[in-house]
Amino acid sequence: MDTARATLLSAADLANGAAGEPLLGEGGAVSRPMVVVDLDGGVPLIERAVEQAALADRILVGRATGEIPAEVRPLIDALDLTYAPVAQSRGVVDTPDPDASIAAFAEAVAANPQAALVARQVVRASETLAVPEAIDVESLGYSTLQGGPEFAAWLAGRGPRPLPPPSDEPVVIARDGDLLHITLNRPERRNAYGTVLRDALVDALRLAILDDSIERVVLDGAGSSFCAGGDLDEFGRTPDITLAHFVRTRGGAGRLVAQLAGRIEVRLHGHCIGAGIEIPAFAGRVVATPDTVFRLPEVSMGLIPGAGGTVSIPRRIGRWRSLHLFVTAAPLDVSRALDWGLVDEIRGV
């Protein structure tokens, strides 16, 4: 395989500490953010390899071109993800061409190494935390990257954008007995998760939390897509990133959907980008139409998911496949989303 963007190690090399050299080079620059671990030759010293994987600062990507032996599974769990022809566990992204998939992942890491590394750190750190604390960790990582050069480069490339126009009714609420139906209602912006829509959605969700007579909540979206993610016209406009942290963690919808998980069903369709799947993934039940497509582009912007996605998505599909989606920004079709557990049912036309 082409190792121009990543170092290829054997599992024995990993066990002997070859991935453990300092991450930061001269001037504090990231050196070798990613290492590929070849699993085809077997894994001697498996316990030591697992230990070294847990200690590593770099993104560790496993590579296998055939079936992975059962005795290698502990190392699969310790790595950040593995590409192989067959998905034998949640730690594996199945692909017909592991080398091509690794090359695409490595290219994405090379484009935004700081964001990719922070994504790795956050999903590992929050894996065992309760949802509120894990959301705090995500937001702290997001805030760090907001002040970094990768996001600044994305903003410069985007150029100036006008603020979104106001909306009289960004969210529609309907009550029918014990059912509260909430509909995102900015179809002209594909229900982008901007300030106005976010605040209206939070108000609606709080109503469901405060009113014990509401036993069921259904959340859907008007127009061609459920939600096209954060409103890009608003990105980079918050002058105070500390305040933005508190808004994300205490004024966002993800924590509320998690609180309502046992009572809420989210119905997805069309493009569900960024927040358009990060927030629904907290729900107890997620239903999608056959045309639904998912994508998480934040790392390609020099950021990480900021609406709870580093918390909600790994809890559904595992941190390994989540990191694949975060770093590559690759689209995920609804069939694979169902196979992985990101959605619970495909329904409708």
Side-chain angles (χ1 to χ4, degrees):
M1 64 172 287
D2 180 6
T3 58
R5 294 187 182 275
T7 301
L8 178 63
L9 301 177
S10 69
D13 292 333
L14 175 66
N16 290 322
E21 64 186 60
L23 177 67
L24 301 181
E26 186 176 348
V30 172
S31 172
R32 290 202 307 150
M34 170 181 162
V35 169
V36 178
V37 180
D38 190 356
L39 303 174
D40 281 347
V43 184
L45 306 172
I46 181 71
E47 291 184 3
R48 194 194 302 178
V50 169
E51 179 182 299
Q52 289 297 313
L55 293 173
D57 288 326
R58 293 174 169 82
I59 298 171
L60 302 180
V61 177
R63 171 188 179 270
T65 59
E67 185 172 348
I68 300 170
E71 60 268 22
V72 179
R73 304 283 172 79
L75 181 56
I76 298 298
D77 291 343
L79 297 174
D80 292 301
L81 74 157
T82 294
Y83 290 102
V86 180
Q88 296 170 254
S89 73
R90 294 205 303 172
V92 177
V93 176
D94 55 302
T95 171
D97 189 341
D99 288 342
S101 295
I102 290 170
F105 187 92
E107 183 176 0
V109 170
N112 291 283
Q114 293 178 342
L117 285 165
V118 170
R120 183 231 190 214
Q121 292 169 352
V122 167
V123 295
R124 280 180 172 266
S126 63
E127 193 172 20
T128 59
L129 296 177
V131 167
E133 288 80 5
I135 289 175
D136 287 346
V137 170
E138 173 187 280
S139 183
L140 292 169
Y142 189 99
S143 293
T144 297
L145 292 167
Q146 275 187 305
E150 294 171 1
F151 181 53
W154 180 84
L155 281 176
R158 180 201 65 174
R161 302 277 285 268
L163 280 170
S167 173
D168 292 333
E169 197 173 22
V171 168
V172 174
I173 303 173
R175 179 76 184 262
D176 183 7
D178 63 3
L179 171 66
L180 183 69
H181 193 150
I182 304 170
T183 300
L184 308 183
N185 190 42
R186 297 207 73 179
E188 75 285 357
R189 298 190 70 79
R190 295 194 302 164
N191 298 319
Y193 189 65
T195 302
V196 172
L197 184 141
R198 179 199 67 211
D199 291 348
L201 174 59
V202 164
D203 287 344
L205 294 169
R206 283 178 176 155
L207 173 62
I209 288 172
L210 293 171
D211 189 341
D212 292 337
S213 68
I214 297 173
E215 297 181 5
R216 296 181 297 141
V217 180
V218 170
L219 172 62
D220 60 14
S224 62
S225 293
F226 170 76
C227 175
D231 197 318
L232 299 186
D233 290 349
E234 293 186 1
F235 271 54
R237 293 184 181 273
T238 304
D240 183 343
I241 61 175
T242 305
L243 174 60
H245 163 70
F246 286 109
V247 170
R248 279 192 302 274
T249 58
R250 300 305 184 271
R255 284 174 54 143
L256 302 179
V257 174
Q259 285 181 251
L260 290 165
R263 291 192 277 157
I264 188 168
E265 175 180 297
V266 184
R267 299 174 181 173
L268 307 177
H269 70 284
H271 287 86
C272 298
I273 312 299
I277 180 56
E278 296 175 51
I279 294 167
F282 281 114
R285 184 159 187 79
V286 179
V287 177
T289 59
D291 69 334
T292 310
V293 177
F294 307 96
R295 197 163 68 85
L296 291 139
E298 291 91 347
V299 169
S300 68
M301 300 159 60
L303 298 170
I304 58 173
T310 67
V311 185
S312 62
I313 293 172
R315 278 160 168 73
R316 278 185 164 267
I317 70 173
R319 64 172 170 82
W320 308 270
R321 290 168 174 172
S322 298
L323 192 66
H324 159 75
L325 295 177
F326 297 159
V327 171
T328 64
L332 182 72
D333 65 56
V334 72
S335 295
R336 177 167 273 203
L338 181 65
D339 289 343
W340 285 4
L342 188 59
V343 303
D344 301 303
E345 181 186 351
I346 300 174
R347 182 197 304 166
V349 179

